[in-house]
Amino acid sequence: MKVNGERLLTDLFQLRQFTDTPGEGVTRFSYGQQDQKARAYLLKEAGAIGCAAETDALKNIRIGMPQNTSGRQKVVIGSHIDTVRNGGWLDGIYGVTAGLEVMRVLKDCRLEYDLELVIFAEEEGSNFGSTMTGSKFISGDYKEEDLDHLKNDEGLSLRQILENPSEEELRQVKWDFSELKAMLELHIEQGPVLEREGLSLGIVETIFGMRVIEVEVTGVGNHAGATPMEDRKDALCAAAECILAAERIVKPNGHTVVTVGRIKAEPDCSNVIPEKTVFTLEARDGQTEKIDYFINQITAAIKRICRERQVECQIREVSSSEPLKLDPELSKTMERLAAQKKIPYRVMDSGAVHDACMIAKHAKTGMIFVPSIGGRSHVPEEDTRPEDLVQGAQFLLEVAAALTGAE
Ligand SMILES: [Zn+2]
């Protein structure tokens, strides 16, 4: 059994065109117009091989093989199709298109278990600042009330965006995990490890956990010319000092990572001293204790800096996820297959979180990485060698075929 590499790459080339920022990377937020176009493309391709699709209230899509029958356990391949702003063309969607290609190859096979492709909605958190929204509803980590808590930049809640789904529709989003035999996610590494070591495959053992906080600093807005330096309570200067303090605290540790990726100053005028600054800060590691330790240290530093600068600060937790060990038995199966096929691989950690994390708490889950050129991701330059993309999809096929007993 072999995937058709050209067909896979054609899908990816087609789908990279669905972006709000042509020429500046892929910007495709869940629930937006480009997202709709990508969904239509994938549903058409799946329809062409006789697969049936269902979309739940959160807009997660489940695509089933034509030979699926009720009552059998299933193997799920899944990832996402949304991106960050000006992101890359492979993050998420590579795993989805590879899953589609696997289904094309297996469409005429006899399967002992059902096979499903799942497209998780709103993985990147681009709309609401909270990642893995679709899979969190699937796992039950998010409840109905979260539909009101999650709001986008325009103040629209997730409930409004989903046009007020009924209780029954929402109940159906959560999966019955006893139906699941295993879940597989194929993804680009988004880091430099595989490329640096000259390997073409990664089998993920642990996924980093993370905590995201939002810090709101309030000073006093005033005239940029008439206010002497010593009379200022500049919210942006205070925020800048807080951010550099976070970097200073975490950097010597060498493993934990901390990022401030979003900052907004108000009123955002060149001639007005910023009155308010809001920024997010996230810390990630493979150990919860270390994440907690650093978030506590950073929070204390932020409070001290704001006190010294006589500005107010409010800190709230936006989201958190635990580090996660993926299924060791499934990892061993994948290692065996990689060795059999003579694919150079390694077992590794994932610094990025993925939808697989939400499923891994409830069912056997495995993750496969392919190398990222220059280790870059979430930027327009994100790329992977075509031969690595095709080999990764081929490996996904081998694993899926082994798990579903395809013949
Ligand atoms: Zn992703």
Side-chain angles (χ1 to χ4, degrees):
M1 280 185 277
K2 257 197 159 3
V3 295
N4 181 333
E6 224 164 278
R7 198 162 53 183
L8 169 72
L9 295 172
T10 302
D11 286 336
L12 284 166
F13 292 143
Q14 293 289 327
L15 286 156
R16 85 186 286 178
Q17 297 173 26
F18 301 139
T19 171
D20 283 325
T21 51
E24 294 171 9
V26 181
T27 303
R28 184 173 52 234
F29 289 6
S30 284
Y31 313 124
Q33 235 176 35
Q34 303 300 333
D35 176 61
Q36 268 178 31
K37 288 185 200 166
R39 285 161 180 266
Y41 178 94
L42 290 160
L43 288 175
K44 186 163 161 269
E45 289 298 318
I49 51 166
C51 291
E54 275 176 47
T55 304
D56 69 20
L58 262 291
K59 310 287 184 207
N60 300 300
I61 300 180
R62 293 164 70 153
I63 301 171
M65 292 289 278
Q67 57 270 62
N68 284 0
T69 57
S70 59
R72 287 199 306 198
Q73 269 197 312
K74 63 191 165 198
V75 174
V76 166
I77 297 172
S79 202
H80 61 97
I81 58 170
D82 62 321
T83 71
V84 296
R85 191 176 296 285
N86 302 107
W89 70 299
L90 296 171
D91 180 357
I93 201 146
Y94 167 54
V96 171
T97 50
L100 172 68
E101 182 55 28
V102 167
M103 291 179 122
R104 286 173 180 142
V105 177
L106 296 180
K107 77 176 164 48
D108 298 318
C109 289
R110 218 166 49 81
L111 302 176
E112 279 176 44
Y113 293 92
D114 284 1
L115 180 63
E116 244 181 35
L117 173 64
V118 175
I119 302 170
F120 296 102
E122 182 64 1
E123 192 270 348
E124 295 288 3
S126 303
N127 285 300
F128 310 108
S130 173
T131 55
M132 300 173 290
T133 300
S135 47
K136 278 177 181 162
F137 276 96
I138 282 174
S139 66
D141 285 68
Y142 270 162
K143 306 268 187 294
E144 191 190 334
E145 56 267 27
D146 292 298
L147 289 178
D148 304 304
H149 301 156
L150 294 166
K151 289 197 167 135
N152 70 9
D153 284 347
E154 287 145 29
L156 279 177
S157 71
L158 178 56
R159 188 190 293 279
Q160 286 169 307
I161 287 170
L162 297 174
E163 293 170 350
N164 212 5
S166 73
E167 266 179 45
E168 180 51 32
E169 285 170 323
L170 286 170
R171 238 193 318 276
Q172 285 167 9
V173 176
K174 196 168 172 293
W175 286 3
D176 173 0
F177 286 97
S178 68
E179 292 174 356
L180 222 67
K181 178 173 161 64
M183 145 104 192
L184 295 170
E185 184 167 1
L186 170 66
H187 205 280
I188 53 166
E189 183 201 335
Q190 308 183 280
V193 177
L194 290 174
E195 186 185 62
R196 194 164 55 213
E197 298 182 7
L199 303 170
S200 37
L201 207 67
I203 294 168
V204 180
E205 193 174 40
T206 307
I207 297 179
F208 273 17
M210 69 192 281
R211 266 175 77 184
V212 188
I213 58 171
E214 186 181 79
V215 183
E216 184 178 312
V217 182
T218 310
V220 178
N222 215 335
H223 195 285
T227 317
M229 292 310 281
E230 67 263 27
D231 293 316
R232 295 179 180 217
K233 288 176 182 163
D234 185 322
L236 184 52
C237 285
E241 197 176 331
C242 294
I243 294 163
L244 289 175
E247 187 190 47
R248 221 167 20 245
I249 289 166
V250 173
K251 207 168 179 180
N253 157 269
H255 196 252
T256 311
V257 287
V258 65
T259 306
V260 173
R262 192 169 193 199
I263 183 161
K264 214 162 74 182
E266 285 175 22
D268 198 21
C269 289
S270 66
N271 58 0
V272 182
I273 297 165
E275 168 137 345
K276 197 160 104 175
T277 301
V278 183
F279 64 91
T280 56
L281 182 146
E282 52 143 89
R284 306 191 193 203
D285 195 276
Q287 293 171 27
T288 310
E289 308 75 54
K290 281 171 86 177
I291 300 171
D292 291 346
Y293 171 78
F294 282 114
I295 288 286
N296 290 343
Q297 294 270 311
I298 291 166
T299 303
I302 290 171
K303 285 182 179 160
R304 180 181 48 76
I305 290 162
C306 290
R307 208 168 39 239
E308 284 167 7
R309 285 179 165 266
Q310 296 179 305
V311 295
E312 299 285 312
C313 84
Q314 276 189 328
I315 301 171
R316 69 179 186 97
E317 180 148 326
V318 178
S319 68
S320 72
S321 62
E322 294 286 310
L324 215 72
K325 278 237 170 303
L326 297 184
D327 187 64
E329 196 188 318
L330 190 45
S331 287
K332 284 277 165 277
T333 307
M334 293 198 284
E335 281 193 63
R336 222 169 20 242
L337 278 169
Q340 248 173 42
K341 302 287 165 191
K342 300 198 168 46
I343 305 170
Y345 76 94
R346 65 161 286 171
V347 175
M348 61 190 297
D349 286 348
S350 168
V353 281
H354 299 283
D355 292 305
C357 302
M358 292 298 116
I359 309 306
K361 296 181 198 168
H362 307 277
K364 283 187 183 181
T365 300
M367 270 206 91
I368 305 158
F369 278 167
V370 295
S372 294
I373 295 175
R376 301 196 70 190
S377 182
H378 280 191
V379 289
E381 292 82 1
E382 176 182 282
D383 208 358
T384 296
R385 296 188 314 156
E387 52 269 41
D388 286 333
L389 291 173
V390 174
Q391 181 167 257
Q394 178 64 30
F395 187 69
L396 179 69
L397 170 65
E398 315 269 1
V399 181
L403 293 177
T404 54
E407 276 180 359

